């Protein structure tokens, strides 16, 4: 949704989701109003009491039969262009409510139940025959793209592969449910695979396609076979959850299907997520950080297991992805936060890989009440992704229990929104280790919402030299061996200063060295060779100094 603010993008996605669940070809103003309520349900109901009942009844009477992903109406796009902040969204909700047509007179149980099930925004009504919900918030893993990749690798016609996958998916759904799947299931499967709708026959069995692909004599057969198995298991879990009542029998049948596919895969099972491979590939470009990578990976794997258990009908405690990154400047905290957010998005735990970086100045206002609005606006801009708060300890005002400062006001807002939006927002607070520990202990609400503290150690001397080599390569510079030795010695001296800048110090060192090269070769004019102009010599590296000891902002010498 190019040209939209992050908040507008979120509302647009929600509107499309509501329209999809109703089988509508496009998302209009009614769906946008439902999206605003989905974005902030508690505030919506407080601002517009009982108004959503009318929206539900209107949605229930607008259900279509489209299986295609809807598009935004032009009117909705025009509205979203005007949404920059939360205040704009509430003003828009006012306008849309005024334009709503009268609700249908027939508001009996059938209509109300249909509306509640379709919008997924209220508690489902208990009825004898559960309604089927095709939930666009949890898209299936099977797709035409998967069929095309298998087709290209195995040298088989894509239509043949898509038809086999569709047939297996329908059989798996029937096995899990113990009966013929609802017609909507076959329609959804055929739509995702772009193939003709398969007919269910209780005598059909799952084919050996997974094993054939996994053991095929072609590149990535093991990974493609495993991916296909996981996609078919996903269909089974989805089918079990259609009526929002996953039974023990259904989970047992899903386990049987898992074992069936494991037998087909044998030693070719490769269940490693592609997103983790991309994550590790990005991390390989960073110096050190193995412990940080392992900690983040374990956390994401835990969150995925919790999500799968919830999908299988198990009771799971609410999970939070928020973190605290503790360490000195220049240790890669912001870079890792960006990679962490991208990984969460790629594995389906966050709707966006957007990262918004801020600090105290971006959150704290100039007068009472201003900090709350300013902080909400920043959080709104990160909604769906990651909010990274650097030097977060600076929000601690240290006024004592009888006086609350603007930093505490901003922190209170963050703590509340971290909980309200835990399914779609990750907050990472970062800063020096000791002040951050103090900050987290000052606000117990904040500490209880952050399940993981990740330590970013200072780089070792050799790692700093490696960083210098990479920076030099990026700048088309060459480091003389003696220059590397001097960088090592300078860093060893300056690391003793509190708040040592690690990679930032190295970059600053090379900035100075590059200026010194220019001064050194300038007397040669155009007679200087390219090699001379690009080689860092030891005399270009500034000597170690005795810098003033740096103290973290916001803490006196007694608290540091």
């Amino acid at each position: 949704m190019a040209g939209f603010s992050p908040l507008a993008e979120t509302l647009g996605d929600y509107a499309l989701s509501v329209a999809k669940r109703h089988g509508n070809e496009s998302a209009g103003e009614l769906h946008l109003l439902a999206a605003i309520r989905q974005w902030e349900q508690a505030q919506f109901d407080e601002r517009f009491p009982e108004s959503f009942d009318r929206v539900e009844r209107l949605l229930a009477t607008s259900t279509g039969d489209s299986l295609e992903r809807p598009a935004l109406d032009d009117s909705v796009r025009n509205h979203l262009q005007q949404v920059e902040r939360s205040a704009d969204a509430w003003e828009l909700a006012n306008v849309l409510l005024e334009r709503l047509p009268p609700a249908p007179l027939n508001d009996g149980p059938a209509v109300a139940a249909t509306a509640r099930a379709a919008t997924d925004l209220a508690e489902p009504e208990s009825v004898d025959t559960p309604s089927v919900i095709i939930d666009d918030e949890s898209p299936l893993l099977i797709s035409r793209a998967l069929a095309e990749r298998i087709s290209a690798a195995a040298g088989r016609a894509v239509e043949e592969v898509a038809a086999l996958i569709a047939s297996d998916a329908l059989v798996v759904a029937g096995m899990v449910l113990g009966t013929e799947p609802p017609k909507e299931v076959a329609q959804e499967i055929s739509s995702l695979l772009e193939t003709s709708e398969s007919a269910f026959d209780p005598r059909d069995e799952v084919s050996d396609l997974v094993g054939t692909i996994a053991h095929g004599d072609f590149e990535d057969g093991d990974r493609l076979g495993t991916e296909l198995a996981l996609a078919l298991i996903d269909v089974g879990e989805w089918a079990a959850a259609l009526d929002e009542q996953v039974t023990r029998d259904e989970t047992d049948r899903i386990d049987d299907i898992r074992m069936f596919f494991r037998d087909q895969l044998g030693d070719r099972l490769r269940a490693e997520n592609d997103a983790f491979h991309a994550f590790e590939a990005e991390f390989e470009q960073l110096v050190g950080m193995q412990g940080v990578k392992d900690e983040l990976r374990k956390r994401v794997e835990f969150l995925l297991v919790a999500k799968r258990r919830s999908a299988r009908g198990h009771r799971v405690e609410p999970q939070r992805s928020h973190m605290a990154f503790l360490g000195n400047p220049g240790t890669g905290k912001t870079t890792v936060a960006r990679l962490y957010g991208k990984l969460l998005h790629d594995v389906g735990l966050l709707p966006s890989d957007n990262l918004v970086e801020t600090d105290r100045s971006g959150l704290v206002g100039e007068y009472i009440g201003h900090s709350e609005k300013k902080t909400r606006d920043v959080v709104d801009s990160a909604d769906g992704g990651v909010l990274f708060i650097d030097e977060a300890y600076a929000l601690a005002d240290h006024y004592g229990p009888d006086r609350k400062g603007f930093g505490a006001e901003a922190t209170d807002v963050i703590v509340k929104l971290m909980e309200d939006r835990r399914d779609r927002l990750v907050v990472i607070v970062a800063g020096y280790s000791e002040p951050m520990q103090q900050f987290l202990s000052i606000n117990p609400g904040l500490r209880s919402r952050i399940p993981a503290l990740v330590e970013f150690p200072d780089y070792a001397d050799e790692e700093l030299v490696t960083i210098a080599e990479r920076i030099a390569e990026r700048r088309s510079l060459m480091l003389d061996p003696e220059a590397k030795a001097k960088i090592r010695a300078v860093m060893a001296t300056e690391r003793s200063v509190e708040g040592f800048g690690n990679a930032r110090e190295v970059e600053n060192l090379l900035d100075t060295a590059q200026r010194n090269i220019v001064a050194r070769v300038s007397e040669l004019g155009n007679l200087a060779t390219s090699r001379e102009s690009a080689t860092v010599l030891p005399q270009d590296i500034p000597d170690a100094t005795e810098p003033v000891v740096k103290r973290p902002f916001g803490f006196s010498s007694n608290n540091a």
Side-chain angles (χ1 to χ4, degrees):
M1 300 182 186
F4 289 169
S5 69
L7 175 56
E9 287 185 2
T10 298
L11 295 179
D13 287 340
Y14 287 163
L16 290 170
S17 177
V18 175
K20 170 70 174 176
R21 288 196 295 269
H22 281 78
N24 300 134
E25 294 181 355
S26 61
E29 293 185 346
L30 183 63
H31 305 107
L32 181 55
L33 188 57
I36 297 174
R37 200 253 189 172
Q38 187 172 348
W39 162 62
E40 280 288 358
Q41 180 174 337
Q43 282 200 53
F44 187 100
D45 292 343
E46 182 179 341
R47 289 170 179 263
F48 314 111
E50 301 181 4
S51 65
F52 198 69
D53 178 64
R54 181 158 56 122
V55 176
E56 283 185 318
R57 284 181 284 165
L58 288 168
L59 286 168
T61 59
S62 67
T63 301
D65 57 4
S66 174
L67 293 175
E68 301 298 324
R69 181 167 178 80
L72 294 176
D73 279 353
D74 289 341
S75 62
V76 171
R77 287 188 172 277
N78 291 336
H79 287 312
L80 291 176
Q81 291 285 357
Q82 310 306 314
V83 175
E84 295 289 339
R85 303 176 178 179
S86 56
D88 300 328
W90 295 123
E91 184 178 344
L92 175 59
N94 267 317
V95 171
L96 296 177
L97 280 169
E98 290 175 359
R99 296 168 62 165
L100 274 186
L105 294 177
N106 180 7
D107 58 353
V111 172
T114 302
R116 280 190 287 270
T119 60
D120 198 29
L121 298 175
E123 291 298 321
E125 184 163 327
S126 177
V127 292
D128 293 336
T129 304
S131 58
V132 172
I133 306 170
I134 304 296
D135 185 4
D136 194 44
E137 296 298 323
S138 302
L140 292 175
L141 297 178
I142 59 170
S143 64
R144 182 72 175 191
L146 175 58
E148 289 172 349
R149 284 163 51 214
I150 292 174
S151 167
R156 300 175 67 167
V158 65
E159 293 302 334
E160 175 194 1
V161 173
L164 280 171
I165 295 175
S167 176
D168 282 349
L170 192 58
V171 172
V172 165
M175 291 170 64
V176 171
L177 297 175
T179 185
E180 180 176 355
K183 185 174 180 58
E184 293 89 336
V185 172
Q187 291 174 338
E188 184 76 0
I189 291 170
S190 64
S191 173
L192 289 169
L193 289 164
E194 299 178 20
T195 188
S196 57
E197 189 175 317
S198 299
F200 178 77
D201 187 331
R203 296 168 298 181
D204 286 345
E205 296 181 352
V206 179
S207 74
D208 61 355
L209 181 61
V210 165
T212 300
I213 298 300
H215 294 274
D217 186 19
F218 47 82
E219 187 178 1
D220 281 341
D222 50 359
R223 291 186 58 76
L224 283 171
T226 304
E227 187 175 346
L228 176 57
L230 292 171
L232 292 171
I233 291 168
D234 181 56
V235 170
E237 292 180 333
W238 170 72
L242 284 174
D243 58 3
E244 297 185 339
Q245 298 176 17
V246 181
T247 67
R248 178 59 182 271
D249 285 344
E250 288 170 340
T251 58
D252 287 345
R253 292 175 195 138
I254 293 170
D255 282 343
D256 289 341
I257 293 168
R258 288 192 179 93
M259 296 308 298
F260 173 80
F261 284 130
R262 281 167 60 178
D263 286 342
Q264 283 203 16
L265 291 166
D267 62 358
R268 305 286 286 175
L269 192 156
R270 299 288 183 272
E272 198 66 3
N273 191 300
D274 285 339
F276 281 109
H277 279 284
F279 174 72
E280 292 187 347
E282 293 272 9
F283 247 100
E284 285 179 3
Q285 306 304 312
L286 305 179
V287 176
M289 295 195 185
Q290 185 61 43
V292 173
K293 180 181 76 171
D294 291 344
E295 179 68 29
L296 295 183
R297 182 184 179 118
K298 288 176 186 176
R299 185 65 196 162
V300 174
E301 286 176 340
F302 172 78
L303 293 169
L304 285 173
V305 168
K307 181 180 179 181
R308 285 195 292 267
R309 284 181 57 79
S310 177
R312 296 173 195 171
H314 298 289
R315 182 176 295 277
V316 177
E317 290 298 315
Q319 301 300 319
R320 300 171 181 87
S321 309
H322 312 302
M323 284 191 165
F325 286 179
L326 313 181
N328 284 329
T331 48
K333 296 187 290 294
T334 307
T335 300
V336 171
R338 185 171 288 106
L339 290 177
Y340 178 57
K342 184 176 186 303
L343 176 60
L344 291 173
H345 168 65
D346 289 347
V347 300
L349 293 172
L350 272 183
S352 167
D353 61 359
N354 177 43
L355 180 137
V356 173
E357 184 178 358
T358 190
D359 55 16
R360 177 186 170 96
S361 65
L363 301 169
V364 170
E366 301 173 0
Y367 48 84
I368 295 175
H370 188 206
S371 294
E372 178 177 356
K373 179 182 184 306
K374 195 171 180 181
T375 301
R376 276 190 171 275
D377 288 344
V378 172
V379 174
D380 286 346
S381 70
D383 202 6
V386 174
L387 175 63
F388 181 82
I389 306 174
D390 200 12
E391 297 183 343
Y393 49 76
L395 292 171
D397 300 301
H398 299 285
Y399 288 142
D402 299 328
R403 182 182 174 191
K404 179 176 287 191
F406 293 163
E409 184 181 341
T411 303
D412 289 346
V413 173
I414 292 167
V415 168
K416 182 179 186 305
L417 295 180
M418 286 171 74
E419 188 64 18
D420 292 349
R421 306 184 187 184
R422 63 173 179 263
D423 293 333
R424 66 179 193 269
L425 174 71
V426 171
V427 174
I428 298 176
V429 292
Y432 297 96
S433 296
E434 186 177 342
M436 283 299 299
Q437 294 280 10
Q438 294 177 12
F439 172 57
L440 294 173
S441 65
I442 288 172
N443 192 311
L446 184 61
R447 180 65 187 91
S448 67
R449 286 161 174 77
I450 297 179
L453 277 62
V454 181
E455 291 279 356
F456 283 68
D458 286 341
Y459 290 109
D461 292 344
E462 283 303 322
E463 290 175 334
L464 291 171
V465 173
T466 300
I467 290 171
E469 290 173 337
R470 293 190 178 183
I471 294 173
E473 183 180 356
R474 242 181 10 244
R475 299 182 181 185
S476 299
L477 297 174
M478 292 173 286
L479 292 178
D480 180 87
E482 292 185 14
K484 294 181 186 179
K486 187 169 182 180
I487 290 173
R488 186 182 297 104
V490 171
M491 291 296 103
T493 299
E494 297 197 349
R495 70 163 53 256
S496 61
V497 178
E498 183 180 353
F500 172 65
N502 287 278
R504 295 181 194 173
E505 301 283 358
V506 175
E507 191 143 19
N508 291 339
L509 205 67
L510 286 180
D511 284 343
T512 303
Q514 206 163 1
R515 290 194 294 271
N516 289 340
I517 293 174
V518 173
R520 176 168 54 82
V521 302
S522 61
E523 61 187 30
L524 297 175
N526 200 30
L527 293 174
T529 67
S530 298
R531 187 175 185 83
E532 288 173 324
S533 300
T535 300
V536 180
L537 299 177
Q539 59 265 38
D540 300 321
I541 304 294
D543 295 330
T545 58
E546 295 296 330
V548 177
V549 175
K550 293 176 277 188
R551 294 286 181 184
F553 173 76
F555 285 82
S556 68
S557 59
N558 294 328
N559 292 330

